[in-house]
């Protein structure tokens, strides 16, 4: 069982918006602004999409946005495109024996 | 070119050992925390270990403590993961990654480790 909880799957049609949630505790997501999001296409390495809750690295489309409220972080993808179909993982720093934790991942299907 | 390239994966019997390497290029390796992350077949990502820029601080996930050792050679721009007493459940693709602003902003292509009898 992963430390952070994500929905197993979400789907949307091209052009639509979707949101993926990532729920933790006050010891991880809620306690630090160190939530990041990763995109992973099949057989490929993960790619950083969001860092420090809501910041986009250079080169990442502004269709990707993120936020946090309490113990839950969220990733929103607007204007869905076929290339967005991938697995998405959230991650957070945590004040525990395991200082870095991931969510179980969410498979995004673009219908 | 800015990149991370892992090597050293392979098939090993339970109880065996393996040493993974990660060659960094195109950036100031010694200025960054580095980490290993693994992904079991069909499963999600799991953070394995982190190491500070000068190697003075190291952190491990509980399941590998006492069996795995992360290290680095800044002169060689290389990161390592010594894995001993390997278990079937250690089977995974192992990625090395660069830590920047509390996230991993650069990843290698991964190296597969299979533990099986």
């Amino acid at each position: 069982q992963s430390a952070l909880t994500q929905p197993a799957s979400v789907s949307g049609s091209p052009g639509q918006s979707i949101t993926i949630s990532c729920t933790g505790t006050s010891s991880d997501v809620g306690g630090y602004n160190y939530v990041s999001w990763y995109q992973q296409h099949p057989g490929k390495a993960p790619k950083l999409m969001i860092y420090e809750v809501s910041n986009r690295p250079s080169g990442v489309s502004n269709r990707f946005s993120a936020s946090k409220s309490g113990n839950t972080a969220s990733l929103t993808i607007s204007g869905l495109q076929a290339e967005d179909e991938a697995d998405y993982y959230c991650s957070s720093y945590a004040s525990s024996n395991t200082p870095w934790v991931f969510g179980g991942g969410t498979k995004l299907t673009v219908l | 070119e800015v990149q991370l390239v892992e090597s050293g994966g392979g098939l090993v019997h339970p109880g065996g050992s393996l040493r993974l390497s990660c060659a960094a290029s195109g950036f100031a390796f010694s200025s960054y925390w580095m980490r290993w992350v693994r992904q079991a077949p069909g499963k999600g990502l799991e953070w394995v270990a982190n190491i500070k820029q000068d190697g003075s601080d190291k952190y491990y996930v509980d399941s590998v403590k006492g069996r795995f050792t992360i290290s680095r050679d800044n002169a060689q721009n290389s990161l390592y993961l010594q894995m001993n007493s390997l278990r079937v459940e250690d089977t995974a693709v192992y990625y090395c990654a660069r830590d920047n602003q509390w996230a991993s902003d650069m990843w290698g292509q991964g190296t597969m480790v299979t533990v099986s009898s």
Side-chain angles (χ1 to χ4, degrees):
Chain A
Q1 186 175 355
S2 301
L4 305 179
T5 301
Q6 300 180 232
S9 63
V10 298
S11 62
S13 300
Q16 289 186 332
S17 295
I18 63 94
T19 297
I20 299 172
S21 62
C22 170
T23 301
T25 69
S26 58
S27 295
D28 39 63
V29 173
Y32 305 92
N33 288 325
Y34 299 142
V35 178
S36 51
W37 290 89
Y38 301 87
Q39 177 192 63
Q40 187 180 35
H41 288 107
K44 300 295 187 182
K47 174 187 176 183
L48 178 65
M49 305 302 285
I50 297 287
Y51 67 94
E52 291 179 341
V53 176
S54 59
N55 296 301
R56 275 190 314 275
S58 174
V60 172
S61 170
N62 59 10
R63 297 186 298 104
F64 291 82
S65 62
S67 62
K68 187 186 82 167
S69 177
N71 297 335
T72 298
S74 299
L75 173 72
T76 297
I77 308 173
S78 59
L80 271 178
Q81 300 179 0
E83 68 206 49
D84 299 331
E85 186 163 291
D87 293 326
Y88 292 84
Y89 295 89
C90 62
S91 180
S92 175
Y93 178 76
S95 58
S96 67
N97 282 343
T98 302
W100 291 101
V101 290
F102 281 97
T106 298
K107 181 176 180 58
L108 168 62
T109 300
V110 180
L111 302 171
Chain B
E1 182 182 3
V2 180
Q3 65 177 356
L4 297 168
V5 179
E6 301 97 334
S7 60
L11 174 64
V12 62
H13 294 307
S17 298
L18 215 52
R19 188 196 196 205
L20 305 183
S21 299
C22 172
S25 59
F27 66 96
F29 177 76
S30 62
S31 297
Y32 294 88
W33 280 77
M34 297 293 295
R35 68 169 63 179
W36 288 96
V37 174
R38 66 184 179 183
Q39 186 170 36
K43 302 298 185 181
L45 301 172
E46 180 183 37
W47 168 80
V48 174
N50 270 51
I51 186 168
K52 194 177 179 179
Q53 290 92 330
D54 62 358
S56 60
D57 285 338
K58 305 174 185 182
Y59 301 92
Y60 301 91
V61 67
D62 283 348
S63 60
V64 309
K65 284 179 182 176
R67 301 188 299 122
F68 290 11
T69 302
I70 189 171
S71 63
R72 64 192 297 163
D73 183 339
N74 288 341
Q76 298 293 323
N77 291 330
S78 294
L79 177 71
Y80 305 102
L81 187 66
Q82 177 66 44
M83 304 185 295
N84 299 330
S85 303
L86 281 162
R87 305 168 179 168
V88 171
E89 55 265 34
D90 295 318
T91 294
V93 174
Y94 284 73
Y95 295 100
C96 70
R98 183 180 80 174
D99 278 4
N100 189 21
Q101 292 178 293
W102 301 91
S104 295
D105 69 342
M106 181 189 306
W107 297 66
Q109 85 287 351
T111 187
M112 182 70 204
V113 172
T114 303
V115 185
S116 174
S117 54

Short mmCIF file of all heavy atoms in Angstrom, two decimals, chain B residues 12 35 111:
data_model
loop_
_atom_site.label_atom_id
_atom_site.label_comp_id
_atom_site.label_asym_id
_atom_site.label_seq_id
_atom_site.Cartn_x
_atom_site.Cartn_y
_atom_site.Cartn_z
N VAL B 12 20.05 -12.12 -10.86
CA VAL B 12 20.82 -12.58 -9.69
C VAL B 12 19.94 -13.49 -8.85
O VAL B 12 18.70 -13.31 -8.81
CB VAL B 12 21.34 -11.38 -8.87
CG1 VAL B 12 20.18 -10.53 -8.34
CG2 VAL B 12 22.27 -11.82 -7.77
N ARG B 35 19.39 10.41 -5.99
CA ARG B 35 18.57 9.35 -5.40
C ARG B 35 18.44 8.16 -6.35
O ARG B 35 18.70 8.27 -7.54
CB ARG B 35 17.18 9.87 -5.06
CG ARG B 35 16.32 10.23 -6.25
CD ARG B 35 14.88 10.49 -5.86
NE ARG B 35 14.73 11.62 -4.96
CZ ARG B 35 13.55 12.04 -4.51
NH1 ARG B 35 12.44 11.39 -4.84
NH2 ARG B 35 13.48 13.08 -3.71
N THR B 111 17.69 0.66 -15.15
CA THR B 111 18.36 -0.63 -15.35
C THR B 111 17.56 -1.69 -14.61
O THR B 111 17.14 -1.48 -13.48
CB THR B 111 19.82 -0.58 -14.89
OG1 THR B 111 20.48 -1.79 -15.26
CG2 THR B 111 19.96 -0.38 -13.39
#
